[in-house]
Amino acid sequence: MTKPRSQGASRRKDIIDKFMFVRHTENLDGDVTTYGYMQAVATAMYLKRSGFKPDAIVISEMLRTWQFAMVVQAVFGLRDITPEVDMDLSYVEVGKRHFGERPMAFLDEVKRVRETGDYTMRHALTMSPHAQEVRGTLLKMLGRISTRIITSPTPQRVLLIGHSPHGNFAGDPATTPYGIDEGGMVLYRVLRRDGAMIGSKYIRPPLPGKSY
């Protein structure tokens, strides 16, 4: 007699962990530092140990995200992947949509939120219109990536390399911090049947770094 599967087991099978956001590592004037490269290697090695080998890498237009991507490719030996630039990962471009010609004005909102001492994403979304807009942008971007994952004839894992707190706004507000450490990661979970995002998990970086 075949033992019936529990609803919990069926749901776990329907969940796929196929895309990961990683914040770039330490940089000076936009160029990854020596310690930043050490952080990047440590994070890439963590991904390798955990079995998250990317089939595609998506970055912002900033040099430091490309430099991180090169480290990931070296650690995994990925010769046939070319990092793709997605401007929805660009805090400058998204900042322009909200602040016009003063895209870096979002730093004022970041400062105001952090001065309260509450570093949760949930709190930031109640205080910052920019945070709300960025969350909407990233959820749409992740929706595009989810569709790409579930419609691919072969399994795909996508690594996003971006900035904090911009890149982690799509995470679960209750568990994702507002501003993740350099080299920190957010693993997104989606449903296999329709690509709907159902949650995320914050993973601290192997080597410490600043949170903003």
Side-chain angles (χ1 to χ4, degrees), residues 72-138:
V72 172
Q73 290 186 243
V75 167
F76 280 97
L78 303 175
R79 297 183 178 183
D80 300 324
I81 290 181
T82 299
E84 309 164 30
V85 174
D86 192 315
M87 295 307 288
D88 281 343
L89 278 175
S90 169
Y91 65 88
V92 174
E93 184 63 30
V94 177
K96 286 180 180 179
R97 299 175 198 170
H98 187 74
F99 296 106
E101 294 306 311
R102 296 182 58 247
M104 300 308 290
F106 81 90
L107 291 173
D108 296 333
E109 288 195 13
V110 171
K111 181 180 179 181
R112 190 171 74 253
V113 172
R114 293 177 70 85
E115 282 176 346
T116 67
D118 186 340
Y119 292 176
T120 62
M121 191 66 67
R122 176 179 290 167
H123 179 61
L125 290 170
T126 65
M127 288 191 63
S128 170
H130 176 63
Q132 297 164 16
E133 179 161 327
V134 173
R135 180 172 172 81
T137 296
L138 290 178

Side-chain angles (χ1 to χ4, degrees), residues 24-162:
H24 67 78
T25 53
E26 183 184 84
N27 73 100
L28 180 63
D29 297 327
D31 204 352
V32 171
T33 64
T34 299
Y35 183 67
Y37 277 113
M38 292 170 62
Q39 291 173 309
V41 169
T43 295
M45 290 300 296
Y46 172 87
L47 294 174
K48 189 172 186 178
R49 289 194 303 272
S50 66
F52 193 94
K53 181 180 180 180
D55 301 291
I57 300 176
V58 182
I59 60 177
S60 79
E61 83 286 19
M62 297 294 182
L63 174 63
R64 52 192 178 272
T65 63
W66 179 83
Q67 290 171 321
F68 196 156
M70 293 300 100
V71 171
V72 172
Q73 290 186 243
V75 167
F76 280 97
L78 303 175
R79 297 183 178 183
D80 300 324
I81 290 181
T82 299
E84 309 164 30
V85 174
D86 192 315
M87 295 307 288
D88 281 343
L89 278 175
S90 169
Y91 65 88
V92 174
E93 184 63 30
V94 177
K96 286 180 180 179
R97 299 175 198 170
H98 187 74
F99 296 106
E101 294 306 311
R102 296 182 58 247
M104 300 308 290
F106 81 90
L107 291 173
D108 296 333
E109 288 195 13
V110 171
K111 181 180 179 181
R112 190 171 74 253
V113 172
R114 293 177 70 85
E115 282 176 346
T116 67
D118 186 340
Y119 292 176
T120 62
M121 191 66 67
R122 176 179 290 167
H123 179 61
L125 290 170
T126 65
M127 288 191 63
S128 170
H130 176 63
Q132 297 164 16
E133 179 161 327
V134 173
R135 180 172 172 81
T137 296
L138 290 178
L139 286 173
K140 289 178 182 178
M141 183 189 75
L142 294 179
R144 285 193 280 109
I145 294 174
S146 294
T147 300
R148 167 179 169 174
I149 289 171
I150 65 175
T151 58
S152 173
T154 57
Q156 275 207 332
R157 289 188 173 91
V158 181
L159 180 66
L160 314 172
I161 304 176

Side-chain angles (χ1 to χ4, degrees), residues 7-19 142-143 145-151 188-200:
Q7 288 186 343
S10 176
R11 181 172 173 79
R12 284 193 296 273
K13 188 175 180 179
D14 195 37
I15 296 172
I16 52 177
D17 298 333
K18 292 295 186 184
F19 53 110
L142 294 179
I145 294 174
S146 294
T147 300
R148 167 179 169 174
I149 289 171
I150 65 175
T151 58
Y188 292 103
R189 296 189 170 99
V190 300
L191 290 177
R192 188 183 305 275
R193 61 176 177 268
D194 57 10
M197 192 175 76
I198 60 170
S200 62

